[in-house]
Amino acid sequence: MSFKVAIVGATGNVGHEMLDILAERAFPVSEVVALASSRSIGTEVSFGDRTLKVKALEHYDFSDTDICLMSAGGAVSKEWSPKIGAQGCVVIDNSSTWRMHPDVPLVVPEVNAAAAAGFTKMNIIANPNCSTAQLVVALKPLHDRFGVKRVVVSTYQSVSGAGKEAMDELFNQTRAVFAAGEVQVKKFPKRISFNVIPHIDVFMEDGYTKEEWKMMAETKKILDPKIKLTATCVRVPVFIGHSESVNIECEKPITADEAREVLRTAPGILVIDKHEPGGYITPHEAAGEDATYISRIREDATVENGLAFWCVSDNLRKGAALNAVQIAEVLINRKLIQPRKKAA
Ligand SMILES: NC(=O)c1ccc[n+]([C@@H]2O[C@H](COP(=O)([O-])OP(=O)(O)OC[C@H]3O[C@@H](n4cnc5c(N)ncnc54)[C@H](OP(=O)(O)O)[C@@H]3O)[C@@H](O)[C@H]2O)c1
């Protein structure tokens, strides 16, 4: 059984990863269609050892496509996802547009795969924010065993989380600093090279940013509405890989050894936690990998049943493309979708 898959945003950071991951995991495709804006018509992208010519989303007919992996930003998704879903093609969307919609499941397969079955009302499933995805993978096994009540998280987010132009901005600013050229600030509110910026997405009325609000709201929707979470989201001059410093407070007593044991056997997680220089994971090592890495696990004695840890993952993979492909695999493995076009 194989499926016709369209990738919207195939020329972007996440779209490239989606193509790679579909090929790496030998996803059962009958055909892969690369779509982007009309600016990219005819551009070539790689899918395994093949080259695909990019077509324009606006001219594409989805009536015999089974799965659309959508990664072209919120405005495109808002306009197109309902139209594509109405044509019977299941959209797995990477933007924030549909995440909190009551008829759209928000899914991280290691955490709430069963929720994917709720896609049928709109034929849309949402992928969470990149920072939320790796966080809930780490929290799920701890919550099941110790009952997580409260989370304090500070993020160190790479520039690729803001798209390919943002990566160019870090590169160009860094070059300008070394060449004594003019540092141009366009994509980020302040210079990002040799700097950190405590501001991602727009400000809300209460002083939090939308990125911080998303981590709170999405963790509740995916994992447990009773979990209290406060976040500080920070952009750092790293190309790929988001890091998080996490403190949790649990209902039950928790030791660092118990937490390490629980995390070691949990799906999607690799624990690298040696108490020596370099005995932890940094975003540089996580880039290009699928796992959510946990390091620096230790008890937090400042609260009852407290634990602190460090969590790193490739934001373009688990934070976006990999999670979307894993959702598509859930749909297939649980027989929630069938190919619309019978194989010849
Ligand atoms: N990067 C992350 O870590 C991450 C994590 C989670 C979610 N996301 C979400 O994933 C989406 C894409 O992110 P990205 O990092 O891949 O961005 P990106 O590198 O800037 O790529 C954007 C893609 O969208 C396409 N696009 C733009 N306007 C379009 C239109 N009108 N019609 C069709 N395609 C259009 C672009 O095509 P052209 O080349 O033709 O312009 C390009 O392929 C965003 O919604 C983002 O919020 C990203």
Side-chain angles (χ1 to χ4, degrees), residues 9 11-14 36-37 39-40 71-73 94 160-161 163-164 315-316 319:
T11 53
N13 273 340
V14 175
S37 75
R39 295 179 291 274
S40 298
S71 154
N94 264 288
S160 58
K164 56 190 177 189
N315 53 295
L316 299 178

Side-chain angles (χ1 to χ4, degrees), residues 40-51:
S40 298
I41 292 176
T43 306
E44 293 185 341
V45 292
S46 300
F47 170 60
D49 52 12
R50 289 162 48 198
T51 301

Side-chain angles (χ1 to χ4, degrees), residues 10 162 207 214 260 319 329:
K214 282 185 243 171
R260 215 172 276 117
E329 289 170 348

Side-chain angles (χ1 to χ4, degrees), residues 176-323:
V177 169
F178 279 115
E182 190 196 344
V183 173
Q184 290 191 353
V185 173
K186 286 190 207 145
K187 190 83 189 164
F188 295 111
K190 296 201 180 204
R191 165 178 149 173
I192 185 65
S193 66
F194 304 98
N195 202 6
V196 297
I197 305 174
H199 165 203
I200 300 178
D201 209 334
V202 295
F203 276 92
M204 318 271 291
E205 264 182 23
D206 60 4
Y208 279 84
T209 63
K210 187 91 181 280
E211 187 82 351
E212 293 158 355
W213 178 85
K214 282 185 243 171
M215 289 193 79
M216 184 267 291
E218 293 174 17
T219 299
K220 285 175 182 286
K221 181 165 175 177
I222 298 165
L223 188 53
D224 187 339
K226 292 196 293 298
I227 292 179
K228 292 179 182 164
L229 185 146
T230 179
T232 303
C233 291
V234 181
R235 189 74 70 190
V236 297
V238 166
F239 280 109
I240 294 175
H242 287 0
S243 309
E244 299 177 345
S245 159
V246 188
N247 285 68
I248 61 170
E249 218 178 310
C250 301
E251 276 155 19
K252 297 181 191 153
I254 181 170
T255 67
D257 284 342
E258 286 167 341
R260 215 172 276 117
E261 220 33 62
V262 165
L263 290 165
R264 275 214 171 99
T265 52
I269 292 177
L270 276 178
V271 174
I272 310 285
D273 193 20
K274 292 188 191 145
H275 299 169
E276 61 189 37
Y280 40 80
I281 288 286
T282 63
H284 178 64
E285 293 120 40
E289 302 293 329
D290 287 349
T292 294
Y293 292 91
I294 311 289
S295 306
R296 305 289 326 277
I297 301 166
R298 60 222 190 268
E299 285 146 41
D300 174 1
T302 64
V303 291
E304 210 181 341
N305 308 329
L307 188 86
F309 60 90
W310 175 249
C311 171
V312 185
S313 195
D314 182 328
N315 53 295
L316 299 178
R317 291 177 80 92
K318 187 58 200 167
L322 172 65
N323 198 68

Side-chain angles (χ1 to χ4, degrees), residues 47-266:
F47 170 60
D49 52 12
R50 289 162 48 198
T51 301
L52 308 177
K53 277 217 182 335
V54 174
K55 299 177 182 172
L57 166 65
E58 57 185 328
H59 301 132
Y60 184 71
D61 175 4
F62 282 85
S63 57
D64 68 352
T65 301
D66 300 297
I67 299 167
C68 170
L69 301 178
M70 169 77 73
S71 154
V76 175
S77 177
K78 193 170 181 190
E79 181 186 351
W80 283 92
S81 294
K83 292 187 202 166
I84 298 168
Q87 287 194 60
C89 174
V90 182
V91 179
I92 301 172
D93 182 42
N94 264 288
S95 79
S96 59
T97 307
W98 304 101
R99 289 179 192 154
M100 300 314 292
H101 193 291
D103 295 334
V104 173
L106 179 62
V107 177
V108 174
E110 292 88 342
V111 181
N112 65 339
F119 73 92
T120 50
K121 281 196 182 142
M122 294 188 69
N123 268 350
I124 302 174
I125 301 179
N127 222 37
N129 181 263
C130 35
S131 307
T132 310
Q134 68 187 69
L135 179 68
V136 294
V137 167
L139 291 180
K140 165 74 174 162
L142 297 170
H143 188 49
D144 286 349
R145 172 83 178 269
F146 306 103
V148 176
K149 286 196 300 190
R150 177 168 179 260
V151 181
V152 181
V153 54
S154 300
T155 69
Y156 304 72
Q157 297 181 222
S158 66
V159 293
S160 58
K164 56 190 177 189
E165 287 171 16
M167 296 177 84
D168 291 343
E169 183 151 318
L170 172 58
F171 180 82
N172 290 332
Q173 288 182 357
T174 306
R175 191 172 51 186
V177 169
F178 279 115
E182 190 196 344
V183 173
Q184 290 191 353
V185 173
K186 286 190 207 145
K187 190 83 189 164
F188 295 111
K190 296 201 180 204
R191 165 178 149 173
I192 185 65
S193 66
F194 304 98
N195 202 6
V196 297
I197 305 174
H199 165 203
I200 300 178
D201 209 334
V202 295
F203 276 92
M204 318 271 291
E205 264 182 23
D206 60 4
Y208 279 84
T209 63
K210 187 91 181 280
E211 187 82 351
E212 293 158 355
W213 178 85
K214 282 185 243 171
M215 289 193 79
M216 184 267 291
E218 293 174 17
T219 299
K220 285 175 182 286
K221 181 165 175 177
I222 298 165
L223 188 53
D224 187 339
K226 292 196 293 298
I227 292 179
K228 292 179 182 164
L229 185 146
T230 179
T232 303
C233 291
V234 181
R235 189 74 70 190
V236 297
V238 166
F239 280 109
I240 294 175
H242 287 0
S243 309
E244 299 177 345
S245 159
V246 188
N247 285 68
I248 61 170
E249 218 178 310
C250 301
E251 276 155 19
K252 297 181 191 153
I254 181 170
T255 67
D257 284 342
E258 286 167 341
R260 215 172 276 117
E261 220 33 62
V262 165
L263 290 165
R264 275 214 171 99
T265 52

Side-chain angles (χ1 to χ4, degrees), residues 1-48:
M1 205 181 328
S2 52
F3 297 80
K4 184 167 177 182
V5 179
I7 298 191
V8 177
T11 53
N13 273 340
V14 175
H16 275 138
E17 292 291 334
M18 284 171 165
L19 287 161
D20 285 350
I21 290 169
L22 287 173
E24 280 166 23
R25 293 170 80 93
F27 191 90
V29 290
S30 54
E31 188 181 344
V32 176
V33 184
L35 302 171
S37 75
S38 47
R39 295 179 291 274
S40 298
I41 292 176
T43 306
E44 293 185 341
V45 292
S46 300
F47 170 60

